[in-house]
Amino acid sequence: MNQPAPASMMSRLRRTLAQQLGVNAEAERGTWLLRLVFRAPRAGQRDWPAVWAERLGRHLRFELAMELGEGAGAWFKRLFFRPRRRRVRLAANLRSARHYRGARRGSMLLGRIGQWLAPVQGAVGRARRAVSARLPVVPWASVGDRVDRWSSGLDRIPYLKQVILLLAFLVAVAFWTTPLAIDAQFRLFILVCAVMIIARRIPGRWPTMLMVSLSILMTGRYMWWRITQTLNFATPIEAIFGYLLFAAEIYTWIVLFFGYIQTAWPLNRQPKPLPEDTDSWPTVDVYIPTYNEPLTVVSPTVLAAKSMDWPSDKLRVFLLDDGSREEFARFADAVGVGYLTREEHRFAKAGNINHALAMTSGEFVAVFDCDHIPTRSFLQTTMGEFIADPKCAMVQTPHHFFSPDPFERNYDTFLRIPNEGSLFYGLIQDGNDFWNATFFCGSCAVIRRAPLMEVGGIAVETVTEDAHTSLKLHRRGYRTAYLRIVQAAGLATESLSGHIGQRIRWARGMAQIFRIDNPWLKKGLTFFQRICYSNAMLHFFYGIPRLIFLSMPCAFLFFGLHVFGADAISVMAYVFPYLFISGMANSRIQGQYRHSFWAEVYESVLAWYTVLPTTIAFINPKKGKFNVTAKGGLIESEYLDWATSKPYVWLLAINLAGLVAGIVRIFTVQRDEPITVLMNMVWALFNVAMLGAAVGVAKEARQVRVSHHVPLCVPATLVLADGKTIACNTENYSTGGLGMVLPEELKLERGAPLGVALSRGDIDYYFPAVVARNSGVHLGLKFEEWSYEKETQLIQCTFGRADAWVRWEEELVPDAPLQSFVEVIEMGYQGVLRLFDACLDAAEAVFVRRPRRSD
């Protein structure tokens, strides 16, 4: 009789011990050791020893840099020879912290506080709802409708508006110039605040006008007090600094008043219908100028322009290649569009378009930057305005960007906080349209050829040829129109340096126009057109005033200079109401398109770089040249752009030093003016937040894709390799692939071939693809067997859809001033931490000889 193998005896013994200890016989050694000390929990109870042992193991693996599955020898070695630990980052990873922001994706700090205080907030919320249920409900919407009806009735009374405006002006002058005691000034502020809070809850334009009127009253009162009471200085050096600050404030008052006029009544123009007979539709030449952009950026725009819904015999697309590249000539020939180039490359983009005007003959000209992809409905949306108004020379549509700009990418605010251009294309251009002052913006626009040729083509005297061209058209008495309906989308600037370069060109060009073709010095414009153009030009002179505001508190903190000839209580009684009321009014007007306090961040970033170009252009308008904004690049690793951020770092250091000087001053030489010292320290602290945010923007985040993914939810059909089809939906798209949402998980290996069918109306298009990623019900596809025909079909189903961008405004989160303030302060704090991280990285690279880490 054969004896059982020793292995069998060991396995039986192992199973017996496992049964006694309550572990699986195949469990790891750590589990066996744990059960020798701690018994298995009863059914339904949590195994706390296992939980804590697993956490302890994770911590030890992190501390010793151990991988899963390492043997006992490796663990023993690590106990004596530790690896070099990775330095902990001070700044937060804003992308990984998104879960703190909640459904509205608000401030990370407020999100964390909300989690900590959730029980308290819940109790407060229940109490507030209980109190609200007992109070009468105010029908704010019906109040707004009633106000609109009253205003409509008053409009029918002749000369009533003129009388009301005259009486309002007389009342305003009395309001501005009537002296009040300090306590009465504070009571006035409280009263105005109460009216503003009530008006803020009433929808409609007239409550907005009431808030603007109150802001003008409080600003005028502050101006009168500032001029008559605060310009008395003890020494000449104080007078110099004091009048510099006063001049900067005069600039802000002018821009504030002009801005109120410019955006007082957004027109919200709607498209005009086209004639039913397509034979009567005019011919349109589509210009797509390019210089040094890659073909991957240009080809979607060209193919989308070809696919616009317009009679084919009346639509001609031209690729204007100022780089004279063979590759582009072959591409134009392959897709059937015109290709124009020139031997003499003068006047950059303006010269390129003017050269094309001489070689084409369409009645209208549509211009698209080479990265702005039009929808198929672009011409049908815009051309009706020209048919309805023969004097209309230009129709402009918004510039929309489906990729984040440096602010949005580096601070993870994309589709959460409106970007820098949202205010201009969402509100300012619509306000300009009311005064017939819509600007040509160089792209996404249609121009009537005859008026354009009448003014000599696109303006070449300045580097902002677009705005200058529209100014010339308005001087000739032509009308322009703005449709706030996104009909094209493009790429935003990838890097902060590129973004600043683009803004420098705009600032230089506006200064050139202000110098050589000032809207106040020549005939042809209405009064309000002059205001709209002037405000657009004056806006780019904010560099010097912003730098004054960023450095002025240090004049007192360092040297004790009183730049304000008033006591601290008077400053609080007049300055704070002026700032608070104007902030509330601007939040009401701009809230959907510009959040509170973010203008200060944008201006702080750009101020240093716009001072010199605007000053030189104002003195000598012929200086400076057109620079092309780079598009389609890739940031492969994160880094702090030291060259760009250097001015902010110096200003930040000066304000931080000012805070230290203020602490010293309040306990030594300035004991008799503690409130004055504290007010200047608060001002410097606010500057630190703004400059910290500016430095933080210079920390370029890593960009993982060249092709940006755009959200899109439409039905699609997935076709598997075996012919099986699955109905699903798209999640996002790019020029290189699709993101899909499946009804259930599907086991597909990476690289597995399949296909996807998308529809454009009644037409279905099939795209062969492979699996790029598979995570649960989310599937990423990468297209294969690509051709211009397939790219055209994809564009027609995605970028070129008539409804591709119609809901862009709904994605914007309305402004909440307090939350915006907290968010900006938080960004400033994170920016300072990013600066410290970058300094430590630089020190490591120099002293430890370790390459800078790329997260």
Side-chain angles (χ1 to χ4, degrees), residues 556-560 661-671:
F556 178 82
L557 296 175
F558 284 136
F559 310 111
I663 295 173
V664 173
R665 182 173 292 276
I666 203 170
F667 291 108
T668 55
V669 298
Q670 219 78 36
R671 292 182 180 180

Side-chain angles (χ1 to χ4, degrees), residues 281-546:
W281 293 7
T283 56
V284 180
D285 293 334
V286 179
Y287 294 165
I288 303 171
T290 178
Y291 174 60
N292 60 359
E293 299 83 0
L295 185 58
T296 54
V297 170
V298 179
S299 62
T301 303
V302 175
L303 298 175
K306 269 196 65 181
S307 303
M308 288 192 292
D309 289 339
W310 201 254
S312 57
D313 60 328
K314 296 177 179 292
L315 177 66
R316 289 166 292 190
V317 179
F318 295 94
L319 181 59
L320 315 183
D321 182 20
D322 231 13
S324 303
R325 291 160 287 183
E326 265 315 307
E327 180 187 16
F328 279 65
R330 292 194 300 270
F331 164 73
D333 182 64
V335 300
V337 301
Y339 177 79
L340 297 177
T341 187
R342 54 185 181 143
E343 294 181 0
E344 188 176 339
H345 304 286
R346 296 184 63 202
F347 303 122
K349 179 181 175 181
N352 196 6
I353 294 176
N354 288 337
H355 174 260
L357 285 171
M359 303 186 68
T360 57
S361 59
E363 299 172 66
F364 292 86
V365 172
V367 182
F368 296 99
D369 282 346
C370 63
D371 63 296
H372 280 146
I373 305 173
T375 65
R376 60 189 179 94
S377 59
F378 177 87
L379 290 177
Q380 291 196 4
T381 301
T382 55
M383 293 300 296
E385 193 66 41
F386 294 105
I387 306 297
D389 183 6
K391 290 290 289 182
C392 181
M394 189 271 298
V395 174
Q396 178 70 55
T397 65
H399 289 191
H400 181 67
F401 301 101
F402 55 81
S403 67
D405 66 20
F407 292 86
E408 296 170 310
R409 186 183 64 255
N410 297 339
Y411 273 137
D412 191 36
T413 62
F414 189 47
L415 300 181
R416 182 168 63 87
I417 294 175
N419 60 34
E420 194 180 5
S422 294
L423 179 65
F424 181 75
Y425 292 107
L427 177 66
I428 293 176
Q429 278 282 58
D430 221 0
N432 288 339
D433 198 21
F434 181 81
W435 306 112
N436 183 32
T438 298
F439 308 153
F440 173 42
C441 300
S443 180
C444 309
V446 185
I447 309 176
R448 197 187 295 266
R449 177 184 287 267
L452 184 59
M453 300 305 293
E454 185 180 330
V455 298
I458 302 296
V460 298
E461 299 90 343
T462 62
V463 295
T464 47
E465 72 293 330
D466 39 20
H468 199 181
T469 301
S470 57
L471 176 62
K472 290 183 175 183
L473 291 171
H474 283 130
R475 287 199 189 281
R476 296 293 183 102
Y478 289 104
R479 298 185 59 81
T480 58
Y482 179 69
L483 293 171
R484 199 185 61 191
I485 303 171
V486 177
Q487 290 293 293
L491 293 169
T493 49
E494 275 82 18
S495 65
L496 182 62
S497 58
H499 187 87
I500 289 174
Q502 184 187 64
R503 269 43 178 187
I504 287 175
R505 174 168 61 84
W506 294 357
R508 178 188 293 119
M510 285 300 189
Q512 288 174 327
I513 299 174
F514 193 76
R515 177 69 168 79
I516 67 176
D517 200 0
N518 192 291
W520 294 98
L521 301 181
K522 293 184 179 180
K523 297 180 179 180
L525 299 180
T526 65
F527 175 76
F528 292 106
Q529 283 178 325
R530 297 177 197 274
I531 287 180
C532 291
Y533 274 104
S534 298
N535 198 43
M537 296 169 191
L538 287 174
H539 165 74
F540 288 99
F541 287 90
Y542 60 74
I544 294 177
R546 178 55 54 188

Side-chain angles (χ1 to χ4, degrees), residues 48 84 134 145 233 291 363 396 463 476 500 534 572 576 660 690 774 789 801 814:
W48 287 107
R84 179 181 291 168
R134 296 176 179 273
D145 293 337
F233 303 103
Y291 174 60
E363 299 172 66
Q396 178 70 55
V463 295
R476 296 293 183 102
I500 289 174
S534 298
M572 292 175 62
F576 186 71
V660 176
M690 297 301 107
N774 187 2
E789 180 184 2
R801 292 169 57 94

Side-chain angles (χ1 to χ4, degrees), residues 121-133:
Q121 288 182 335
V124 172
R126 288 190 295 271
R128 185 175 64 247
R129 287 191 294 271
V131 172
S132 300

